[in-house]
Amino acid sequence: MRADGDLGSDAEVDRTEASIAPARGGDRTPDTCAPDSRRRVPRRVGAGLLLAVTICAPVMVVLGGFLPGIGPATPTAAAGPATRHSDHITLVKQSPWVGPNAPNQNLTMGLSIRSSAPRGDLKLSFTVYHPLTTRSGFDETLSGRSLGSVAAQSPDIALSGFNTDGQGVTHVTIPVDGDTTPTGTGNWTANLGCRVGSCANVYPVKVTLSDSSGSGAQVITYLVYDDPSSTSEPLRVALVVPLGLAPPTADNRGRVPAPTPVALSTFEGLLGAVAGSPVVPVTLAPDAATLDQLAVTGHGHAVSEVAGLSGSSTRQTLAGSFVPVDAGALVGAGLPGELAAQLRRGTDVLGSAPIGVHASKGTWVARTDLDQAAVDQLAPDDGHLVVAPGSVSGPTGPLTVTQPFTLTPTAGSTGTATPTAMVSDAGLGARLSSAKGADAPLAAVQLLAEASLIYYEAPNLRGPGGTPAAR
Protein backbone atom coordinates (compact mmCIF):
# COMPACT_ATOMS: atom_id res chain seq x y z
CA MET A 1 0.00 0.00 0.00
CA ARG A 2 1.58 3.29 -1.08
CA ALA A 3 1.26 6.45 0.95
CA ASP A 4 0.96 8.38 -2.30
CA GLY A 5 -1.24 5.77 -3.94
CA ASP A 6 -4.14 6.26 -6.29
CA LEU A 7 -7.53 6.77 -4.74
CA GLY A 8 -10.74 6.92 -6.69
CA SER A 9 -14.47 6.75 -6.82
CA ASP A 10 -14.47 4.00 -9.39
CA ALA A 11 -11.84 1.30 -9.31
CA GLU A 12 -10.64 -0.66 -12.32
CA VAL A 13 -13.33 -3.23 -12.95
CA ASP A 14 -12.94 -6.98 -13.04
CA ARG A 15 -16.26 -7.86 -14.64
CA THR A 16 -17.21 -10.80 -12.50
CA GLU A 17 -20.95 -11.41 -12.57
CA ALA A 18 -22.96 -11.67 -9.41
CA SER A 19 -26.60 -12.19 -8.61
CA ILE A 20 -29.32 -10.68 -6.47
CA ALA A 21 -29.85 -12.51 -3.22
CA PRO A 22 -33.06 -14.56 -3.12
CA ALA A 23 -35.84 -12.96 -1.13
CA ARG A 24 -35.46 -15.45 1.72
CA GLY A 25 -31.75 -16.05 1.44
CA GLY A 26 -30.02 -19.06 -0.04
CA ASP A 27 -26.79 -19.83 -1.79
CA ARG A 28 -25.87 -19.10 -5.36
CA THR A 29 -22.72 -19.58 -7.35
CA PRO A 30 -21.33 -16.48 -9.07
CA ASP A 31 -20.29 -16.72 -12.70
CA THR A 32 -16.51 -16.16 -12.73
CA CYS A 33 -16.16 -16.67 -16.48
CA ALA A 34 -17.47 -13.29 -17.59
CA PRO A 35 -15.21 -11.39 -19.99
CA ASP A 36 -12.58 -9.15 -18.46
CA SER A 37 -12.91 -5.40 -18.89
CA ARG A 38 -10.18 -2.80 -18.67
CA ARG A 39 -12.52 0.10 -18.08
CA ARG A 40 -10.69 2.42 -15.73
CA VAL A 41 -12.13 5.57 -14.21
CA PRO A 42 -9.64 6.49 -11.49
CA ARG A 43 -9.56 9.75 -9.60
CA ARG A 44 -6.30 10.83 -8.02
CA VAL A 45 -5.54 12.30 -4.64
CA GLY A 46 -2.53 13.64 -2.83
CA ALA A 47 -3.59 14.40 0.74
CA GLY A 48 -4.56 12.84 4.05
CA LEU A 49 -7.91 11.45 5.12
CA LEU A 50 -8.39 13.48 8.28
CA LEU A 51 -11.55 14.70 6.59
CA ALA A 52 -13.01 11.25 6.69
CA VAL A 53 -13.23 11.06 10.45
CA THR A 54 -15.51 14.09 10.56
CA ILE A 55 -18.09 12.61 8.21
CA CYS A 56 -21.32 11.04 9.46
CA ALA A 57 -22.60 7.78 7.97
CA PRO A 58 -20.29 7.45 4.97
CA VAL A 59 -20.19 4.49 2.61
CA MET A 60 -16.72 2.97 2.27
CA VAL A 61 -16.19 1.19 -1.00
CA VAL A 62 -12.45 0.54 -1.48
CA LEU A 63 -9.60 1.77 0.71
CA GLY A 64 -6.19 2.92 -0.52
CA GLY A 65 -3.16 5.08 0.29
CA PHE A 66 -3.12 8.00 2.68
CA LEU A 67 -0.76 10.85 3.41
CA PRO A 68 0.16 12.72 6.63
CA GLY A 69 -2.42 14.85 8.36
CA ILE A 70 -3.99 12.84 11.18
CA GLY A 71 -4.92 14.97 14.20
CA PRO A 72 -5.44 17.02 16.28
CA ALA A 73 -8.54 16.97 18.49
CA THR A 74 -9.84 18.13 21.84
CA PRO A 75 -8.52 15.74 24.52
CA THR A 76 -10.85 13.37 26.34
CA ALA A 77 -10.39 9.99 27.98
CA ALA A 78 -8.89 7.33 25.76
CA ALA A 79 -10.28 3.84 25.41
CA GLY A 80 -8.27 1.03 26.96
CA PRO A 81 -8.01 -1.42 29.82
CA ALA A 82 -9.19 -0.55 33.31
CA THR A 83 -7.05 2.25 34.81
CA ARG A 84 -7.07 4.65 37.71
CA HIS A 85 -10.11 6.81 37.19
CA SER A 86 -8.10 10.05 37.10
CA ASP A 87 -5.57 8.87 34.48
CA HIS A 88 -6.20 9.56 30.81
CA ILE A 89 -4.18 9.29 27.60
CA THR A 90 -5.65 10.66 24.39
CA LEU A 91 -4.00 10.33 21.02
CA VAL A 92 -4.36 13.77 19.41
CA LYS A 93 -2.14 13.21 16.37
CA GLN A 94 0.11 10.58 14.80
CA SER A 95 2.20 10.05 11.69
CA PRO A 96 0.03 7.77 9.52
CA TRP A 97 2.83 5.53 8.30
CA VAL A 98 6.54 4.74 8.63
CA GLY A 99 8.88 3.61 5.87
CA PRO A 100 12.52 2.68 5.22
CA ASN A 101 13.58 6.04 3.81
CA ALA A 102 14.07 9.44 5.44
CA PRO A 103 12.15 11.51 6.38
CA ASN A 104 9.55 8.80 7.08
CA GLN A 105 11.56 6.57 9.41
CA ASN A 106 9.99 7.86 12.63
CA LEU A 107 6.70 7.05 14.29
CA THR A 108 5.59 10.35 15.79
CA MET A 109 2.59 10.98 17.97
CA GLY A 110 1.07 13.67 20.14
CA LEU A 111 -0.50 12.65 23.45
CA SER A 112 -2.73 14.52 25.85
CA ILE A 113 -1.99 13.19 29.34
CA ARG A 114 -4.01 13.79 32.49
CA SER A 115 -3.17 12.25 35.85
CA SER A 116 -3.70 13.00 39.52
CA ALA A 117 -0.15 11.81 40.25
CA PRO A 118 2.69 14.35 40.46
CA ARG A 119 3.97 15.05 36.96
CA GLY A 120 7.51 14.33 38.06
CA ASP A 121 6.48 10.74 38.88
CA LEU A 122 4.91 10.03 35.49
CA LYS A 123 6.53 7.77 32.92
CA LEU A 124 5.62 6.49 29.48
CA SER A 125 6.43 3.12 27.94
CA PHE A 126 5.78 1.74 24.46
CA THR A 127 5.14 -1.87 23.45
CA VAL A 128 5.24 -2.88 19.79
CA TYR A 129 3.64 -6.23 19.00
CA HIS A 130 4.27 -8.58 16.10
CA PRO A 131 2.24 -7.80 12.97
CA LEU A 132 -1.40 -8.72 12.55
CA THR A 133 -2.51 -11.24 9.94
CA THR A 134 -6.32 -10.98 9.70
CA ARG A 135 -9.06 -8.36 9.98
CA SER A 136 -10.80 -10.37 12.69
CA GLY A 137 -7.54 -10.34 14.64
CA PHE A 138 -7.32 -6.59 14.13
CA ASP A 139 -10.83 -6.15 15.56
CA GLU A 140 -9.77 -8.03 18.70
CA THR A 141 -6.87 -5.65 19.30
CA LEU A 142 -9.05 -2.54 19.25
CA SER A 143 -10.02 -3.11 22.86
CA GLY A 144 -6.55 -4.23 23.93
CA ARG A 145 -7.23 -7.97 23.67
CA SER A 146 -5.23 -10.59 21.74
CA LEU A 147 -2.34 -8.27 21.00
CA GLY A 148 -0.02 -11.20 20.44
CA SER A 149 3.68 -11.49 21.24
CA VAL A 150 5.97 -8.55 21.84
CA ALA A 151 8.32 -7.42 19.07
CA ALA A 152 9.90 -4.49 20.92
CA GLN A 153 9.53 -3.05 24.41
CA SER A 154 10.77 0.32 25.60
CA PRO A 155 11.92 1.06 29.13
CA ASP A 156 9.87 3.39 31.29
CA ILE A 157 10.77 6.89 30.11
CA ALA A 158 10.24 9.86 32.42
CA LEU A 159 7.60 12.24 31.10
CA SER A 160 10.08 15.07 31.63
CA GLY A 161 12.15 13.55 28.82
CA PHE A 162 9.47 14.43 26.25
CA ASN A 163 8.66 17.82 24.80
CA THR A 164 5.27 19.16 25.91
CA ASP A 165 3.95 22.20 24.06
CA GLY A 166 1.86 25.12 25.28
CA GLN A 167 -1.38 23.28 24.53
CA GLY A 168 -0.35 20.44 26.83
CA VAL A 169 0.38 17.97 24.01
CA THR A 170 3.32 15.65 24.70
CA HIS A 171 5.30 14.91 21.53
CA VAL A 172 6.80 11.46 21.01
CA THR A 173 9.39 10.45 18.39
CA ILE A 174 10.18 6.76 17.88
CA PRO A 175 12.67 5.90 15.11
CA VAL A 176 11.71 2.51 13.63
CA ASP A 177 14.36 -0.05 12.68
CA GLY A 178 12.72 -2.14 9.96
CA ASP A 179 13.93 -2.69 6.41
CA THR A 180 16.61 -0.07 7.10
CA THR A 181 18.28 1.36 10.18
CA PRO A 182 16.93 4.84 10.94
CA THR A 183 19.38 7.70 10.64
CA GLY A 184 17.80 10.00 13.25
CA THR A 185 17.34 9.85 16.99
CA GLY A 186 14.28 10.08 19.20
CA ASN A 187 12.89 9.10 22.58
CA TRP A 188 13.42 5.40 21.91
CA THR A 189 14.19 3.26 18.84
CA ALA A 190 11.80 0.38 18.06
CA ASN A 191 13.46 -2.59 16.38
CA LEU A 192 10.76 -4.56 14.59
CA GLY A 193 13.00 -7.64 14.38
CA CYS A 194 11.77 -8.44 10.88
CA ARG A 195 13.72 -9.84 7.97
CA VAL A 196 14.84 -7.14 5.53
CA GLY A 197 12.25 -6.85 2.78
CA SER A 198 9.45 -8.35 4.86
CA CYS A 199 8.73 -5.60 7.40
CA ALA A 200 5.77 -4.00 5.63
CA ASN A 201 2.76 -4.70 7.82
CA VAL A 202 0.52 -3.43 10.64
CA TYR A 203 1.89 -3.56 14.18
CA PRO A 204 -0.21 -2.86 17.29
CA VAL A 205 1.41 -0.37 19.67
CA LYS A 206 0.45 0.01 23.33
CA VAL A 207 1.25 3.28 25.08
CA THR A 208 1.24 2.99 28.89
CA LEU A 209 1.30 5.74 31.50
CA SER A 210 2.73 4.81 34.91
CA ASP A 211 3.96 6.37 38.13
CA SER A 212 5.54 5.14 41.33
CA SER A 213 2.36 3.20 42.22
CA GLY A 214 2.25 1.21 38.98
CA SER A 215 0.63 1.31 35.55
CA GLY A 216 -2.15 3.75 34.79
CA ALA A 217 -3.88 4.62 31.54
CA GLN A 218 -3.19 2.84 28.27
CA VAL A 219 -4.10 3.46 24.65
CA ILE A 220 -3.76 1.07 21.69
CA THR A 221 -2.65 2.56 18.39
CA TYR A 222 -1.00 1.09 15.27
CA LEU A 223 2.29 1.40 13.42
CA VAL A 224 1.84 0.99 9.67
CA TYR A 225 5.19 0.10 8.07
CA ASP A 226 4.92 0.82 4.37
CA ASP A 227 7.51 -0.43 1.89
CA PRO A 228 5.75 -1.46 -1.35
CA SER A 229 7.54 -2.65 -4.44
CA SER A 230 7.61 -0.44 -7.52
CA THR A 231 5.23 -2.85 -9.28
CA SER A 232 2.65 -3.13 -6.53
CA GLU A 233 -0.99 -2.35 -7.29
CA PRO A 234 -2.36 -0.02 -4.58
CA LEU A 235 -5.77 -0.29 -3.09
CA ARG A 236 -8.13 2.51 -4.02
CA VAL A 237 -10.89 4.22 -2.14
CA ALA A 238 -14.32 5.63 -2.75
CA LEU A 239 -15.76 7.64 0.11
CA VAL A 240 -19.36 8.75 -0.33
CA VAL A 241 -20.33 11.77 1.79
CA PRO A 242 -24.08 12.35 2.27
CA LEU A 243 -24.86 16.08 2.47
CA GLY A 244 -28.26 16.55 4.03
CA LEU A 245 -30.33 17.07 7.14
CA ALA A 246 -32.65 14.56 8.75
CA PRO A 247 -36.05 14.65 7.00
CA PRO A 248 -38.26 17.16 8.88
CA THR A 249 -41.64 16.20 10.32
CA ALA A 250 -44.56 18.40 9.35
CA ASP A 251 -46.87 19.71 12.07
CA ASN A 252 -50.63 19.01 12.22
CA ARG A 253 -51.21 21.80 9.69
CA GLY A 254 -48.77 20.30 7.21
CA ARG A 255 -46.12 22.97 7.78
CA VAL A 256 -42.47 21.90 7.68
CA PRO A 257 -40.34 23.57 10.38
CA ALA A 258 -37.11 25.37 9.56
CA PRO A 259 -33.85 23.58 10.37
CA THR A 260 -32.79 23.82 14.01
CA PRO A 261 -29.64 25.80 14.84
CA VAL A 262 -27.91 22.62 16.04
CA ALA A 263 -28.71 20.71 12.84
CA LEU A 264 -27.63 23.64 10.70
CA SER A 265 -24.38 24.07 12.65
CA THR A 266 -23.55 20.38 12.22
CA PHE A 267 -24.30 20.54 8.51
CA GLU A 268 -22.15 23.64 8.01
CA GLY A 269 -19.35 22.03 10.00
CA LEU A 270 -19.38 19.09 7.60
CA LEU A 271 -19.28 21.45 4.62
CA GLY A 272 -16.33 23.24 6.18
CA ALA A 273 -14.47 19.98 6.68
CA VAL A 274 -14.95 19.00 3.03
CA ALA A 275 -13.95 22.47 1.85
CA GLY A 276 -10.87 22.37 4.08
CA SER A 277 -9.50 19.32 2.25
CA PRO A 278 -9.87 20.36 -1.39
CA VAL A 279 -7.59 17.70 -2.88
CA VAL A 280 -9.32 14.75 -1.22
CA PRO A 281 -11.52 13.22 -3.97
CA VAL A 282 -14.62 12.36 -1.98
CA THR A 283 -17.90 11.66 -3.73
CA LEU A 284 -20.65 14.02 -2.62
CA ALA A 285 -24.28 12.88 -2.36
CA PRO A 286 -26.31 16.07 -1.74
CA ASP A 287 -29.91 15.73 -0.58
CA ALA A 288 -32.05 17.82 -2.93
CA ALA A 289 -34.88 18.24 -0.42
CA THR A 290 -32.47 19.62 2.19
CA LEU A 291 -31.02 22.17 -0.20
CA ASP A 292 -34.50 23.16 -1.37
CA GLN A 293 -35.59 23.72 2.23
CA LEU A 294 -32.46 25.72 3.06
CA ALA A 295 -32.96 27.92 0.01
CA VAL A 296 -36.52 28.90 1.03
CA THR A 297 -35.75 29.38 4.75
CA GLY A 298 -33.04 32.01 4.38
CA HIS A 299 -29.97 29.77 4.48
CA GLY A 300 -28.76 30.37 0.96
CA HIS A 301 -25.13 30.60 2.14
CA ALA A 302 -25.15 26.87 2.98
CA VAL A 303 -26.66 26.09 -0.42
CA SER A 304 -23.94 28.17 -2.08
CA GLU A 305 -21.27 26.23 -0.17
CA VAL A 306 -22.61 22.94 -1.51
CA ALA A 307 -22.74 24.38 -5.04
CA GLY A 308 -19.15 25.51 -4.69
CA LEU A 309 -18.00 22.10 -3.48
CA SER A 310 -19.72 20.43 -6.42
CA GLY A 311 -17.73 22.52 -8.87
CA SER A 312 -14.37 21.04 -7.87
CA SER A 313 -12.62 18.84 -10.41
CA THR A 314 -11.36 16.58 -7.60
CA ARG A 315 -14.85 15.59 -6.49
CA GLN A 316 -17.73 13.67 -7.98
CA THR A 317 -21.23 14.90 -7.11
CA LEU A 318 -24.15 12.52 -7.49
CA ALA A 319 -27.68 13.33 -8.54
CA GLY A 320 -30.15 11.20 -6.61
CA SER A 321 -33.77 11.18 -5.58
CA PHE A 322 -35.45 14.33 -4.23
CA VAL A 323 -35.81 12.71 -0.80
CA PRO A 324 -34.12 9.51 0.41
CA VAL A 325 -36.15 6.57 -0.89
CA ASP A 326 -36.04 2.79 -0.67
CA ALA A 327 -35.79 1.93 -4.37
CA GLY A 328 -36.40 -1.76 -3.77
CA ALA A 329 -39.54 -1.10 -1.71
CA LEU A 330 -40.98 1.33 -4.26
CA VAL A 331 -40.46 -1.01 -7.19
CA GLY A 332 -41.64 -3.99 -5.13
CA ALA A 333 -44.85 -2.12 -4.31
CA GLY A 334 -45.53 -1.61 -8.00
CA LEU A 335 -44.48 2.05 -7.97
CA PRO A 336 -41.56 2.25 -10.41
CA GLY A 337 -43.05 5.49 -11.73
CA GLU A 338 -42.69 7.06 -8.27
CA LEU A 339 -39.00 6.13 -8.20
CA ALA A 340 -38.51 7.65 -11.64
CA ALA A 341 -40.35 10.81 -10.54
CA GLN A 342 -38.19 11.13 -7.45
CA LEU A 343 -35.06 10.84 -9.57
CA ARG A 344 -36.27 13.46 -12.05
CA ARG A 345 -37.27 15.87 -9.27
CA GLY A 346 -33.94 15.44 -7.50
CA THR A 347 -31.97 16.16 -10.67
CA ASP A 348 -34.16 19.17 -11.54
CA VAL A 349 -33.89 20.73 -8.07
CA LEU A 350 -30.12 20.33 -7.83
CA GLY A 351 -29.66 21.95 -11.23
CA SER A 352 -32.17 24.75 -10.68
CA ALA A 353 -31.04 28.39 -10.50
CA PRO A 354 -31.55 28.82 -6.71
CA ILE A 355 -29.47 25.68 -5.97
CA GLY A 356 -26.87 25.51 -8.73
CA VAL A 357 -25.27 22.18 -7.79
CA HIS A 358 -23.27 20.51 -10.56
CA ALA A 359 -24.40 16.89 -10.17
CA SER A 360 -24.37 13.98 -12.57
CA LYS A 361 -26.39 10.81 -12.90
CA GLY A 362 -24.81 7.43 -13.31
CA THR A 363 -24.23 6.15 -9.75
CA TRP A 364 -26.85 5.05 -7.23
CA VAL A 365 -25.78 4.67 -3.59
CA ALA A 366 -28.20 2.21 -2.00
CA ARG A 367 -28.66 2.44 1.76
CA THR A 368 -31.33 -0.28 1.66
CA ASP A 369 -31.50 -3.64 -0.06
CA LEU A 370 -32.00 -3.86 -3.81
CA ASP A 371 -33.79 -6.72 -5.54
CA GLN A 372 -33.61 -7.69 -9.20
CA ALA A 373 -36.59 -5.52 -10.16
CA ALA A 374 -34.99 -2.45 -8.56
CA VAL A 375 -31.71 -3.10 -10.38
CA ASP A 376 -33.61 -3.39 -13.67
CA GLN A 377 -35.31 -0.05 -12.97
CA LEU A 378 -32.09 1.76 -12.03
CA ALA A 379 -29.75 0.21 -14.62
CA PRO A 380 -30.60 2.41 -17.66
CA ASP A 381 -29.59 5.64 -15.87
CA ASP A 382 -27.32 4.40 -13.07
CA GLY A 383 -24.60 2.18 -14.47
CA HIS A 384 -22.75 2.04 -11.16
CA LEU A 385 -24.38 0.77 -7.96
CA VAL A 386 -23.03 0.91 -4.42
CA VAL A 387 -25.06 -1.70 -2.59
CA ALA A 388 -25.56 -2.51 1.05
CA PRO A 389 -23.96 -5.72 2.38
CA GLY A 390 -26.27 -8.72 2.20
CA SER A 391 -28.54 -7.70 -0.66
CA VAL A 392 -26.29 -8.92 -3.46
CA SER A 393 -24.11 -11.98 -3.84
CA GLY A 394 -20.76 -10.59 -4.99
CA PRO A 395 -17.76 -12.51 -6.33
CA THR A 396 -15.98 -15.03 -4.16
CA GLY A 397 -12.25 -15.53 -3.72
CA PRO A 398 -9.34 -13.77 -2.00
CA LEU A 399 -10.29 -10.23 -3.04
CA THR A 400 -11.85 -7.63 -0.77
CA VAL A 401 -15.57 -7.46 -0.12
CA THR A 402 -15.75 -4.38 -2.33
CA GLN A 403 -14.39 -5.99 -5.50
CA PRO A 404 -16.40 -4.59 -8.45
CA PHE A 405 -18.69 -7.01 -10.26
CA THR A 406 -21.48 -6.89 -12.80
CA LEU A 407 -25.19 -7.54 -12.39
CA THR A 408 -27.17 -9.01 -15.25
CA PRO A 409 -30.56 -7.35 -15.90
CA THR A 410 -33.61 -9.56 -16.25
CA ALA A 411 -34.17 -10.72 -19.81
CA GLY A 412 -36.63 -8.42 -21.52
CA SER A 413 -36.27 -5.60 -18.97
CA THR A 414 -36.25 -1.98 -20.14
CA GLY A 415 -32.86 -0.99 -21.54
CA THR A 416 -29.80 -3.12 -22.14
CA ALA A 417 -27.46 -1.68 -19.49
CA THR A 418 -25.38 -4.06 -17.41
CA PRO A 419 -24.57 -2.19 -14.19
CA THR A 420 -21.31 -2.47 -12.31
CA ALA A 421 -21.76 -2.87 -8.56
CA MET A 422 -19.66 -2.68 -5.41
CA VAL A 423 -20.67 -3.75 -1.91
CA SER A 424 -19.86 -1.09 0.68
CA ASP A 425 -17.38 -2.10 3.37
CA ALA A 426 -19.42 -1.88 6.55
CA GLY A 427 -16.44 -2.50 8.83
CA LEU A 428 -14.38 0.36 7.49
CA GLY A 429 -17.40 2.61 7.27
CA ALA A 430 -18.03 2.04 10.97
CA ARG A 431 -14.60 3.47 11.77
CA LEU A 432 -15.72 6.77 10.27
CA SER A 433 -19.30 7.03 11.48
CA SER A 434 -18.30 6.40 15.10
CA ALA A 435 -15.43 8.90 15.15
CA LYS A 436 -16.27 12.21 16.77
CA GLY A 437 -14.32 14.82 18.72
CA ALA A 438 -11.30 13.51 20.54
CA ASP A 439 -11.81 10.00 19.16
CA ALA A 440 -11.26 11.19 15.59
CA PRO A 441 -7.44 10.96 15.39
CA LEU A 442 -7.39 7.44 16.83
CA ALA A 443 -10.23 6.38 14.52
CA ALA A 444 -8.24 7.73 11.57
CA VAL A 445 -5.23 5.63 12.60
CA GLN A 446 -7.48 2.56 13.00
CA LEU A 447 -8.98 3.16 9.57
CA LEU A 448 -5.58 3.47 7.95
CA ALA A 449 -4.28 0.41 9.78
CA GLU A 450 -7.22 -1.78 8.75
CA ALA A 451 -7.02 -0.54 5.17
CA SER A 452 -3.31 -1.38 5.11
CA LEU A 453 -4.02 -4.80 6.55
CA ILE A 454 -6.45 -5.48 3.70
CA TYR A 455 -3.62 -4.83 1.27
CA TYR A 456 -0.98 -6.80 3.17
CA GLU A 457 -3.23 -9.86 3.41
CA ALA A 458 -2.86 -10.44 -0.34
CA PRO A 459 -0.90 -7.80 -2.30
CA ASN A 460 -0.67 -7.78 -6.10
CA LEU A 461 -3.60 -10.07 -6.74
CA ARG A 462 -4.45 -10.79 -10.36
CA GLY A 463 -7.89 -10.84 -11.87
CA PRO A 464 -9.35 -12.92 -14.73
CA GLY A 465 -7.05 -12.00 -17.74
CA GLY A 466 -3.93 -11.50 -15.65
CA THR A 467 -4.53 -7.81 -15.01
CA PRO A 468 -4.11 -6.34 -11.50
CA ALA A 469 -7.26 -7.01 -9.52
CA ALA A 470 -9.40 -4.08 -8.40
CA ARG A 471 -10.03 -4.56 -4.67
Side-chain angles (χ1 to χ4, degrees):
M1 176 174 176
R2 297 185 63 86
D4 57 350
D6 298 344
L7 290 81
S9 289
D10 292 320
E12 179 176 324
V13 175
D14 277 327
R15 288 195 175 275
T16 302
E17 282 195 274
S19 59
I20 296 293
R24 293 175 178 80
D27 297 330
R28 55 272 182 205
T29 303
D31 179 2
T32 59
C33 301
D36 175 63
S37 169
R38 290 166 176 77
R39 183 178 186 275
R40 184 180 178 90
V41 194
R43 292 163 64 221
R44 313 288 180 179
V45 67
L49 200 61
L50 173 61
L51 165 67
V53 299
T54 68
I55 294 170
C56 298
V59 179
M60 295 303 301
V61 179
V62 188
L63 262 290
F66 301 74
L67 290 181
I70 297 175
T74 303
T76 60
T83 65
R84 293 189 298 269
H85 181 70
S86 57
D87 286 356
H88 301 268
I89 301 179
T90 303
L91 183 73
V92 296
K93 63 179 179 179
Q94 180 180 316
S95 54
W97 59 278
V98 177
N101 301 318
N104 303 311
Q105 296 174 323
N106 296 338
L107 173 64
T108 61
M109 61 182 76
L111 304 172
S112 175
I113 298 171
R114 291 165 47 196
S115 176
S116 59
R119 196 164 182 84
D121 292 346
L122 297 177
K123 299 176 182 180
L124 287 174
S125 63
F126 305 88
T127 308
V128 181
Y129 294 86
H130 282 109
L132 300 167
T133 58
T134 65
R135 290 184 72 178
S136 59
F138 174 86
D139 290 340
E140 285 289 311
T141 66
L142 293 172
S143 59
R145 300 191 303 270
S146 304
L147 293 168
S149 57
V150 174
Q153 173 67 61
S154 80
D156 290 337
I157 306 171
L159 193 60
S160 59
F162 300 88
N163 175 45
T164 300
D165 63 24
Q167 285 71 48
V169 176
T170 298
H171 296 269
V172 178
T173 300
I174 302 175
V176 178
D177 191 337
D179 286 335
T180 60
T181 299
T183 56
T185 59
N187 303 107
W188 167 69
T189 297
N191 189 332
L192 299 181
C194 49
R195 180 171 49 84
V196 174
S198 65
C199 297
N201 221 313
V202 179
Y203 301 77
V205 177
K206 180 170 67 176
V207 182
T208 303
L209 178 69
S210 62
D211 61 19
S212 56
S213 64
S215 296
Q218 298 179 347
V219 64
I220 304 299
T221 184
Y222 299 88
L223 187 164
V224 176
Y225 197 92
D226 186 43
D227 188 15
S229 71
S230 59
T231 59
S232 64
E233 175 73 7
L235 292 176
R236 283 158 288 178
V237 61
L239 176 60
V240 180
V241 185
L243 297 178
L245 302 173
T249 302
D251 61 19
N252 55 9
R253 296 183 181 181
R255 295 175 300 188
V256 176
T260 66
V262 172
L264 191 60
S265 175
T266 300
F267 182 68
E268 291 179 338
L270 174 57
L271 298 181
V274 176
S277 301
V279 296
V280 178
V282 295
T283 296
L284 305 178
D287 178 54
T290 290
L291 299 184
D292 188 50
Q293 183 191 26
L294 292 175
V296 300
T297 54
H299 301 290
H301 60 285
V303 176
S304 297
E305 285 187 64
V306 176
L309 294 176
S310 71
S312 170
S313 60
T314 62
R315 304 187 187 96
Q316 179 186 20
T317 303
L318 306 180
S321 54
F322 178 68
V323 296
V325 297
D326 185 333
L330 283 177
V331 176
L335 298 172
E338 176 63 20
L339 175 59
Q342 282 283 344
L343 292 171
R344 285 194 302 271
R345 177 83 189 283
T347 299
D348 291 345
V349 168
L350 291 178
S352 64
I355 308 298
V357 169
H358 304 281
S360 60
K361 297 190 293 184
T363 300
W364 176 264
V365 179
R367 296 175 180 84
T368 54
D369 290 351
L370 297 177
D371 58 13
Q372 186 67 60
V375 171
D376 292 343
Q377 184 71 23
L378 293 168
D381 291 323
D382 294 305
H384 295 96
L385 304 175
V386 177
V387 298
S391 64
V392 170
S393 171
T396 59
L399 305 180
T400 65
V401 296
T402 59
Q403 179 200 0
F405 54 90
T406 58
L407 290 168
T408 303
T410 302
S413 61
T414 303
T416 58
T418 301
T420 298
M422 300 179 192
V423 179
S424 59
D425 192 315
L428 288 168
R431 304 272 174 262
L432 303 185
S433 58
S434 63
K436 295 181 181 179
D439 294 328
L442 182 57
V445 172
Q446 293 169 347
L447 173 68
L448 174 59
E450 189 167 6
S452 300
L453 186 61
I454 292 171
Y455 174 79
Y456 293 135
E457 280 187 302
N460 298 322
L461 291 171
R462 297 284 161 175
T467 57
R471 297 179 292 157

